[in-house]
Amino acid sequence: MEKREGQGIIRLTEVDKSFDDEKVVKKLNLDVREGEFLTMLGPSGCGKTTTLRMIAGFEQPDSGEILLEGRNVAGKKPNERNVNTVFQNYALFPHMNVFDNIAFGLVEKKVKKDEIRTRVQEMIKLVKLDGMEKRMPSQMSGGQKQRVGIARALVNRPKVLLLDEPLGALDLKLRKQMQGELKHLQRRLGITFIYVTHDQEEALTMSDRIAVMNNGILEQVGTPEEVYNHPETKFVADFIGESNILEGYVEHVYEDAIGVTMESGKARIPETGYNSEEMVYLCVRPENLKIDARSHEGFSLRGQVREHIFIGSINKTMIELPNGQMLKAETPAEDELVPVGTVVNIYWNPGKVVVMRTKEEMIYNIIERSVQIEGMPNEPIF
Amino acid sequence: MNRFFKKHLGVFVTVGPTVLWLGIFLLIPLAYVILMTVLTKNAYGGMDFIFTLENYRNLFANEYLKVFGDSIWLSLQTTVICLVVGYPFAYILANAPKRWKGFLVMLLMLPFWTNSLIRTYGWNTLLRTEGILNHFLQGVGLIDQPLEMLYTDGAVLLGMVYALLPFTVLPLYTSIEKLDKSLLEAGSDLGASRVHVFTRIIFPLTMPGIFAGSIQTFIPSLGFFFISDMMGGAKTMYIGNLIKNQFLSARNWPFGAALSIVLIVITLILMKLYTRVGSLEDMA
Ligand SMILES: Nc1ncnc2c1ncn2[C@@H]1O[C@H](COP(=O)(O)OP(=O)(O)OP(=O)(O)O)[C@@H](O)[C@H]1O
Ligand SMILES: [Mg+2]
């Protein structure tokens, strides 16, 4: 296979993988750029580990190809690939001390004794395990073991480091600390990281790019800012951060906006490129959802305040729409609260909504029905 | 007294039968054997209650030392061959697909359910000069004269390995099965070839199993007298045969008892080693 210029360090094309007739990874296409921190994010069982294991060489794809540095690695064993893995359960060799664990790969490469010594020492310093060379894995804490696992992989100077939920077993505080250290390490060494997690906060804080996976399918690949602020699918909007998702259809197409009608009201949205009658999802982050006694231009959406929940520095307000759907709005804790039971107008700043196309779904038949809830003024909404 | 009994009823009911069992079937006979070793045999094959250490002194006669040497040598050979044959066997067993495992382990255990005497006879019919194997080899014209296979040292070794292989395989199987597969992946990920994954990871980590397998093979092999009787034609004398002879033919019970004590002591030492390694393994 000839080497094409400008492509990523890893490229997966149309990769499929099944276990016992169950499709676990479906038509996956992914380009990983040299030196980036790419996170694979998705719920449990979506195929993240399987994808990583195919890159490492522990599993073979059923079809499609995987290129490492432009070369097809089909049939290459893990020991013939220039990638290293940090395992979720650490997988340290229990019969070797820290030094020998870290030196394992270098011994395989027949590196000279004194070079092994200096490189291992360098790594031990890097992951802050000074003085622990002689410890056995059974005598170490989870965080320390994890550092050994990372050092053992990094000492080989791989092109790509694969990390499968490396911090999954650590407590919150240690996890936060290790997140920072890992990110720092990655920057310093310039090694490409492919990092698997199902913790969206971890993904958002550490990554250069996030690949969101669901059910074996790659839903969206983008920077944290892109996937958070411009989710391309309902799943991404829902999975990354909290979201209010409203279903509706385009009733009017104006020059510079569309008028969307939902089950519970209407909104005018400054977006173009949609057709009349098209089904859409509107996605609004809780911090962007506002409530007010006044009505706002372009919005006719009302709901009733149901509950306030304090979460440290913010206050979360739950608002019920006439059809029973609950919306979340977040405000700073010091802001004055709207009393529970008040009927309010719901709006958002025009730029703070994301519109997504949806497949034709069930909205039509119920959309004309107006819904009545207790305490709402008895005026038709539509 | 009655209250004491009531209070400890639970203890009597649970531990009592075990103590009784061990007392009747183990401690009393053992005490009797130990007592025998210091008695004097009389002319009629019985024993006189005259204290002597003669029986222990006799153990150091050259002919008996040779028996000990031969026995330990045979057991060592048996153990090593069992390990070499049993390790790949156990490895395949441990890595077999789940639905096959139970069946394969059962096959391994199957010989235990038939009498080992009968199984050894099976070898006889196979290896005899006018046995099946010789007939076959002559039939296909590979040999003119039947081979002397039975009643050789090789035949004894074969019989021993055959009888003891399951004792080696089971502990090996257990320790290979316990092996964390992600360690092998980690090894391969770090650049180790299959051979190196074996020598640097699998082999050292299954060391406890190898040790357990060796001891569990070595100990019973010392006492398997009937195999050398039946397959070796009793040409070479081993501890087991010697003890049997002292009790049954030579009618020298005190000396037979002293020999038994030696065997028991060797066994105990090995058992002690074995539990020591067991606890080391738990630490890892
Ligand atoms: N060796 C295997 N044999 C059969 N099924 C498997 C195997 N490995 C994974 N699976 C299945 O493939 C699916 C995806 O598994 P995978 O381990 O890739 O998920 P994941 O995204 O890493 O999840 P998690 O976040 O829980 O680790 C799951 O439904 C799992 O049951
Ligand atoms: Mg996983």
Side-chain angles (χ1 to χ4, degrees):
Chain A
M1 176 133 291
E2 99 274 24
K3 190 166 170 161
R4 277 171 289 173
E5 274 305 309
Q7 71 181 33
I9 190 161
I10 291 182
R11 163 171 285 182
L12 285 82
T13 345
E14 301 286 298
V15 170
D16 271 317
K17 178 75 187 173
S18 308
F19 288 116
D20 319 317
D21 298 333
E22 186 204 342
K23 282 203 163 197
V24 170
V25 173
K26 300 164 198 161
K27 296 259 168 286
L28 193 96
N29 288 295
L30 179 65
D31 267 302
V32 184
R33 298 173 195 152
E34 183 145 16
E36 79 171 325
F37 194 123
L38 181 100
T39 300
M40 309 217 9
L41 176 67
S44 191
C46 71
K48 306 179 296 286
T49 298
T50 307
T51 308
L52 215 60
R53 288 172 60 81
M54 286 192 285
I55 297 172
F58 301 133
E59 307 277 1
Q60 297 296 329
D62 297 336
S63 65
E65 59 180 27
I66 298 175
L67 306 186
L68 291 184
E69 298 180 82
R71 271 181 223 97
N72 193 335
V73 288
K76 283 212 169 169
K77 297 200 199 73
N79 52 326
E80 297 162 340
R81 301 184 183 200
N82 202 359
V83 299
N84 284 119
T85 308
V86 176
F87 292 82
Q88 176 169 11
N89 65 350
Y90 319 127
L92 301 184
F93 305 122
H95 57 302
M96 294 183 186
N97 63 22
V98 169
F99 186 96
D100 291 336
N101 260 287
I102 298 176
F104 191 97
L106 297 179
V107 173
E108 283 304 324
K109 283 194 191 141
K110 303 201 168 60
V111 176
K112 282 201 206 70
K113 270 234 162 70
D114 34 333
E115 192 188 336
I116 291 183
R117 183 155 294 280
T118 46
R119 276 172 72 173
V120 171
Q121 286 301 346
E122 201 181 304
M123 271 301 141
I124 284 178
K125 207 163 276 150
L126 194 71
V127 296
K128 307 198 180 92
L129 285 174
D130 311 67
M132 293 204 177
E133 293 86 343
K134 291 278 173 298
R135 288 265 188 104
M136 298 305 275
S138 58
Q139 302 167 318
M140 308 186 87
S141 73
Q144 291 167 337
K145 282 189 212 173
Q146 194 58 77
R147 284 160 208 260
V148 178
I150 291 163
R152 184 178 71 173
L154 280 179
V155 77
N156 302 293
R157 299 180 185 156
K159 283 279 181 193
V160 180
L161 190 66
L162 308 174
L163 303 99
D164 192 356
E165 304 198 30
L167 310 181
L170 307 182
D171 67 53
L172 192 67
K173 193 160 168 243
L174 190 57
R175 202 148 122 189
K176 289 261 181 280
Q177 180 196 339
M178 290 288 289
Q179 281 175 8
E181 288 178 18
L182 266 180
K183 179 72 204 163
H184 186 72
L185 258 180
Q186 190 265 341
R187 284 246 177 81
R188 221 172 107 189
L189 301 172
I191 294 176
T192 312
F193 273 36
I194 303 184
Y195 188 98
V196 163
T197 182
H198 55 234
D199 179 341
Q200 43 120 345
E201 194 186 322
E202 192 166 288
L204 288 172
T205 52
M206 295 174 82
S207 325
D208 295 323
R209 287 195 306 154
I210 300 176
V212 186
M213 228 178 144
N214 181 31
N215 242 325
I217 293 168
L218 214 50
E219 296 258 343
Q220 184 176 357
V221 185
T223 63
E225 197 271 333
E226 278 167 358
V227 291
Y228 188 81
N229 289 331
H230 306 285
E232 282 167 10
T233 67
K234 183 181 173 221
F235 174 81
V236 175
D238 221 9
F239 192 73
I240 304 206
E242 276 190 290
S243 255
N244 294 297
I245 295 175
L246 293 151
E247 294 173 335
Y249 74 100
V250 181
E251 195 175 26
H252 300 288
V253 179
Y254 308 104
E255 198 144 298
D256 57 347
I258 50 175
V260 175
T261 299
M262 293 156 279
E263 219 180 0
S264 306
K266 296 180 188 209
R268 186 189 160 103
I269 292 156
E271 286 270 353
T272 54
Y274 291 87
N275 300 319
S276 182
E277 305 276 288
E278 204 171 357
M279 303 308 255
V280 289
Y281 287 120
L282 304 182
C283 160
V284 188
R285 298 283 177 198
E287 65 268 27
N288 296 325
L289 194 84
K290 304 255 192 319
I291 52 177
D292 205 338
R294 288 188 301 120
S295 69
H296 287 256
E297 207 207 315
F299 291 92
S300 93
L301 183 63
R302 287 157 72 79
Q304 189 177 28
V305 175
R306 278 288 178 218
E307 199 181 352
H308 294 292
I309 304 161
F310 294 98
I311 312 161
S313 59
I314 57 165
N315 173 58
K316 200 188 244 180
T317 305
M318 308 296 289
I319 306 130
E320 188 177 352
L321 293 179
N323 68 349
Q325 186 184 354
M326 282 288 182
L327 298 184
K328 291 164 273 193
E330 283 175 11
T331 47
E334 62 272 16
D335 284 13
E336 203 175 314
L337 295 177
V338 181
V340 170
T342 319
V343 173
V344 289
N345 287 293
I346 299 165
Y347 70 103
W348 51 78
N349 287 332
K352 296 295 187 185
V353 62
V354 176
V355 185
M356 284 172 278
R357 288 198 165 81
T358 99
K359 292 167 224 91
E360 305 281 322
E361 276 170 15
M362 55 293 162
I363 310 173
Y364 257 116
N365 47 358
I366 42 171
I367 205 128
E368 295 301 331
R369 197 153 36 99
S370 86
V371 190
Q372 187 79 43
I373 58 167
E374 201 190 337
M376 294 279 275
N378 200 5
E379 63 187 54
I381 299 173
F382 296 101
Chain B
M1 181 63 207
N2 204 6
R3 266 181 51 204
F4 172 84
F5 185 78
K6 261 190 192 149
K7 198 169 153 200
H8 294 92
L9 187 64
V11 178
F12 286 121
V13 170
T14 51
V15 188
T18 317
V19 172
L20 216 61
W21 174 271
L22 284 177
I24 293 175
F25 293 104
L26 186 76
L27 288 178
I28 295 175
L30 190 62
Y32 184 50
V33 171
I34 293 171
L35 175 68
M36 251 192 266
T37 63
V38 292
L39 300 181
T40 314
K41 91 161 194 161
N42 64 25
Y44 314 103
M47 293 168 292
D48 294 330
F49 279 78
I50 303 165
F51 178 83
T52 176
L53 288 176
E54 193 61 24
N55 299 312
Y56 285 104
R57 211 167 296 132
N58 285 344
L59 289 175
F60 296 96
N62 277 342
E63 53 194 299
Y64 298 132
L65 286 179
K66 181 177 178 317
V67 171
F68 280 110
D70 285 346
S71 302
I72 287 170
W73 178 233
L74 175 70
S75 292
L76 273 177
Q77 282 175 296
T78 307
T79 306
V80 169
I81 295 176
C82 277
L83 281 179
V84 172
V85 176
Y87 199 101
F89 201 93
Y91 194 82
I92 293 167
L93 208 59
N95 289 297
K98 268 222 168 64
R99 55 208 144 98
W100 284 96
K101 256 185 206 171
F103 179 68
L104 289 173
V105 173
M106 197 193 75
L107 280 187
L108 181 72
M109 303 294 294
L110 211 56
F112 280 124
W113 300 334
T114 35
N115 189 301
S116 50
L117 220 56
I118 296 171
R119 283 185 281 130
T120 315
Y121 265 120
W123 279 109
N124 276 21
T125 50
L126 209 63
L127 297 178
R128 271 195 320 240
T129 18
E130 53 303 347
I132 297 169
L133 201 56
N134 270 320
H135 272 299
F136 172 76
L137 290 175
Q138 281 174 305
V140 297
L142 270 171
I143 50 170
D144 301 328
Q145 291 298 312
L147 294 174
E148 280 289 337
M149 287 182 289
L150 202 57
Y151 308 130
T152 58
D153 288 347
V156 176
L157 195 54
L158 177 72
M160 295 287 269
V161 169
Y162 167 73
L164 291 161
L165 195 60
F167 292 91
T168 331
V169 172
L170 280 179
L172 284 174
Y173 167 77
T174 319
S175 86
I176 296 171
E177 162 116 293
K178 257 198 330 208
L179 210 65
D180 180 356
K181 296 293 173 294
S182 67
L183 294 179
L184 314 188
E185 288 186 347
S188 152
D189 186 74
L190 292 166
S193 60
R194 276 165 184 240
V195 175
H196 279 191
V197 168
F198 180 78
T199 54
R200 296 188 67 192
I201 303 169
I202 301 177
F203 186 73
L205 285 177
T206 51
M207 223 38 206
I210 294 171
F211 196 78
S214 311
I215 288 186
Q216 288 188 22
T217 312
F218 191 85
I219 292 176
S221 76
L222 280 175
F224 265 31
F225 62 86
F226 63 89
I227 288 177
S228 62
D229 270 1
M230 290 168 63
M231 297 183 72
K235 278 184 200 154
T236 312
M237 180 80 78
Y238 299 106
I239 303 185
N241 310 92
L242 187 60
I243 294 174
K244 190 195 81 175
N245 290 348
Q246 293 308 314
F247 279 100
L248 299 183
S249 347
R251 305 288 298 169
N252 188 350
W253 284 34
F255 185 58
L259 286 168
S260 306
I261 292 297
V262 172
L263 200 56
I264 290 172
V265 168
I266 294 176
T267 308
L268 284 178
I269 291 170
L270 290 174
M271 290 294 278
K272 181 76 200 161
L273 263 176
Y274 176 44
T275 48
R276 167 90 58 87
V277 170
S279 57
L280 278 181
E281 185 188 357
D282 289 340
M283 245 176 56

